[in-house]
Amino acid sequence: MDPFTTHEHEVLVIGAGGAGLRAAIEASALGCRTAVVCKSLLGKAHTVMAEGGVAAALSNVDDRDSWKVHFADTMRGGQYLNNWRMVEHHAREAPARVRELEAWGAVFDRTPDGRILQRNFGGHRYPRLAHVGDRTGLEMIRTLQDHGVHQGLDVFMEMTVIDLLRDGDRVVGAVGYDRERGRFHVWRAGAVVLATGGIGRAFRITSNSWEYTGDGHALAYRAGAELVDMEFVQFHPTGMVWPPSVRGILVTEGVRGEGGVLRNKDGRRFMFDDIPDNYKAQTADSEDEGWRYTQGDKSARRPPELLTRDHVARCINREVKAGRGTPHGGVYLDIAWIKARIPDAEEHIRKKLPSMHHQFLQLANLDITREPMEVGPTTHYVMGGVRVEGDTQMSTVPGLFAAGEVAGGLHGANRLGGNSLSDLLVFGKRAGEHAAKFARERGAGALDRAQVDSAIDAALAPFDHGIEGGGESPYAIQSDLQQIMQDYVGIVRLEDEMARALHGIGLLAKRAEHAAAVGHREYNPGWHSAIDLRNLLTVAEAVTRCAMERKESRGAQFREDYPGKSEECSKFNLVVRRGADGSMGLERRPVAPLPEELAAVVKENA
Amino acid sequence: MPATTFRIWRGDPTSAQFKEYTTDISEGMVVLDAVHQIQAENAPDLACRWNCKAGKCGSCSAEINGRPRLMCMTRMDELPPGETVTIEPMRAFPHVRDLVTDVSWNFGVKERIKRFRPRKPDAPDGTWRMQQTDVDRVQEFRKCIECFLCQDVCHVLRDHHKHEEFVGPRYLVHLAALEMHPLDTEERVREIRRAHGIGYCNITKCCTKVCPEHITITDNAIIPLKERVVDEFYDPLTRLLRVFKPRRGASKDG
């Protein structure tokens, strides 16, 4: 049997993005020996890609803002399928979490009176996003990283967890391998926090990096935890579309927050053509009013470009399908036009959107201060995730916690931009705190050697297959999966197409059993991809099954065969759980009703 | 576009050499795309680091035709057409495999640098006030994506291996960000001179040239730090005064 090294900790955090680091900092601050295991180097996690800002009702720019308005905005954006307890914690605690980052050294952009500046974003009623140009995620992860390394975290870089270990009902650790040498490791811990991010690599066009293979979702699922809302995958409206090699790379919503507008090939601002009823009262009537809103006129309402992401993505999709798209199958996003409105526009754009300016100049030979960008939807975020208890972030499996994108509930059917960075701070802290408490109360559990051995055997199987022995390249299998999900379970969904996808996923699962690795175990990306396939297939199946079961269009889910919202479907969340026979079970779970005082908050801020 | 040949460094510290691969290049491709294509077509075990593929995470650092660059931000059409493209790992760090190097020394350096220590909050709401003009400089330094290309090109590290005595440009930028942070109260100038070895830098500006974030490393970060060291330890008037009135720190290290 392959040897492994055992590490002993009180709290194990899997993932070192914002949520993982914030959880680890909290657990460690409470005195727990804390380990962080991450697939990449420290500070490279996907949080670094977040651009626009972190949503928190600081009320620095508009004093009409408050946690209550943020609460109502988030519930409306999520189409009321959200876990209201999480939404409440999030709205109340986000300002304190942002100020805490400042105390740890983060340097946000400033208001004229020297406070943290906030910008407009889709679905947020008032300017709410604290930001640093368009590199807010980098600022946050670096701040957390620098704070964390001085706190004595044990960081295990470039190591991948392949399975959780259980003692009876409880999760008591994890087994994984290091990329550099391909050796196996066991982390024994009183509590485990999943902070592994999302699932974007299940799709062809995505803003997500190779790491986003649904590891945490699948680890939790295999350990018996419930997943919730998996049908809701966010397609960000503005990804790059040209040249082909950069397709999917994110173009921040901050471009629209700063006054950028969407036009079709005929030059029409098509977003004015379709404004949903529940946002009509909050949306500008004219281009002029929209512009004034982006420039801080409190009497103006927001332009339709700043409607929620699900809606903007669908409108772009509609324009392209109707033949009104750009030459490369997108629409135009124009920030250069603000030259007509303000002096020094070019300098202003470079200052507020520096990395967008650099990204387009370098990768697409395009100067965004002079020309419009071509953009189209890209898979960006999964609202669904591990179902957690709203106060503690503990899953339905004792000792297993989840925070950030891998946890479900906060965002309901659609996430507002900026709410993920605040999510990972608020619930990273909560998960770390409660994991520490759980670990202290319950102590370490017993390790079952048989579980470790079977996880290691499964991980090594790709070397036994060999390409010559009928094994197949994992890259080909992953590529086929991405195409199926992109074509059949993407932004517009149909019953028979999804049935085809489900069938295809089943066939791919069979092929994945013969995924082969060549060479040896040291830093072998082919082997790593072969191991990741199992997780990708699990999340792809969960997304597809849930999307088929929800026979309506709501939030991020758009069903062409059921284009409207259904009253019946407004009453349940879909929960996925592994059945006793190993097959995927699906259950409708009633949405918990809002308590009276929060229902009143929603009403007051309609 | 035509097929292009790549010479890629393959192997581990015990045995490594260039291997040639040919792959088709399409419009807009960057070097990292070509590496991925080679992985999928011919070399599934070709080791390289990458994450964001948008120049934001600083993972895919390598030496392309001898220049330290991010593979994700180097377009194929800016390299000489028709010529073989050479890709090597960063040479200033211990080799692990193929294009991957052991950069863990860098993470250790950061742990040795004293953390941010803010003054007490002094605004009525329990926070601070800072003007944008006062944070512009610090924000430039905080753009750093820790790609370590500046460390790779720095001759003090690359050729003279002064890893014990010198923290390198990346961490001088980090120190500058801390020292120039309007809220920070920590004292670091002594360490900058001694433990962090700023004197080793002879401002050849190679680091500034390779920085993919265009941080003016030498002029804006390193030279001002050198000035602080000079003010603290080499100012003649201060030295004279010190004879009469020994000061904290200065007497030990002057």
Side-chain angles (χ1 to χ4, degrees), chain B residues 190 193 232-233 238 242 246-254:
Chain B
R190 266 190 298 160
R193 176 174 173 239
E232 178 99 14
F233 294 101
T238 315
R242 210 176 289 150
R247 288 199 317 173
R248 177 185 62 86
S251 60
K252 266 184 290 173
D253 295 274

Side-chain angles (χ1 to χ4, degrees), chain B residues 14 22 55 84 104 107 130 139-140 165 172 188 194 245:
Chain B
T14 57
T22 301
T84 297
S104 58
F107 292 91
M130 286 185 273
Q139 286 187 332
E140 180 194 1
E165 295 110 290
L172 293 175
R188 297 183 191 80
R194 288 283 171 104
K245 187 184 168 199

Side-chain angles (χ1 to χ4, degrees), chain A residues 139 146 210 359 363 522, chain B residues 50 56 75 97 110 142:
Chain A
E139 185 69 19
D146 293 355
W210 67 270
Q359 178 175 313
L363 297 176
E522 291 178 10
Chain B
W50 71 283
K56 293 186 171 67
R75 287 170 58 120
R97 205 164 92 83
K110 193 179 258 180
R142 293 183 67 90

Side-chain angles (χ1 to χ4, degrees), chain B residues 1-6 21-31 33-35 37-38 41 75-77 79 83 85:
Chain B
M1 257 199 224
T4 297
T5 302
F6 291 82
Y21 301 91
T22 301
T23 196
D24 287 331
I25 301 302
S26 59
E27 184 176 352
M29 264 172 86
V30 294
V31 170
D33 293 318
V35 168
Q37 210 164 284
I38 290 165
E41 292 168 354
R75 287 170 58 120
M76 288 301 302
D77 58 16
L79 301 174
E83 286 180 24
V85 178

Side-chain angles (χ1 to χ4, degrees), chain A residues 5 72 76 162 254 268 595:
Chain A
T5 311
R76 186 186 306 107
I162 49 179
R268 182 171 178 80

